[in-house]
Amino acid sequence: ITLPPHMLYIADRIAKREGRSRSELFREALRAFLCKKRWEAVQTYGAKIAKQKGIKEEDIEGIVDSFRK
């Protein structure tokens, strides 16, 4: 992985302040990024299905409530 020197400097300072290695910091960052991407994929899929079924954003709360009863 290649990073600009200033970005690497900042990452090293954060790692040192938190008592972690640079590798731990980057693993956590990658995990967070992958989690965000998975969540975006779920939202995209949900929006696609909602559009196909004609469900609007304001309908969601009522639909969820009907399944909770």
Side-chain angles (χ1 to χ4, degrees):
I1 298 172
T2 304
L3 296 171
H6 184 69
M7 189 180 276
L8 190 57
Y9 171 76
I10 292 170
D12 285 340
R13 287 185 59 204
I14 292 169
K16 183 176 181 179
R17 183 179 31 198
E18 295 184 1
R20 300 191 289 169
S21 69
R22 181 191 294 167
S23 292
E24 289 173 317
L25 188 70
F26 284 112
R27 275 193 297 273
E28 180 183 333
L30 182 56
R31 274 193 296 271
F33 174 80
L34 294 174
C35 184
K36 179 180 181 251
K37 288 298 181 183
R38 273 186 247 124
W39 181 242
E40 288 173 357
V42 167
Q43 289 177 313
T44 299
Y45 175 76
K48 176 184 168 189
I49 298 302
K51 185 176 181 180
Q52 289 173 356
K53 295 184 178 270
I55 299 170
K56 297 183 177 95
E57 189 172 343
E58 57 267 16
D59 302 330
I60 303 282
E61 189 173 336
I63 293 169
V64 170
D65 285 345
S66 71
F67 279 95
R68 287 182 175 163
K69 293 179 182 178

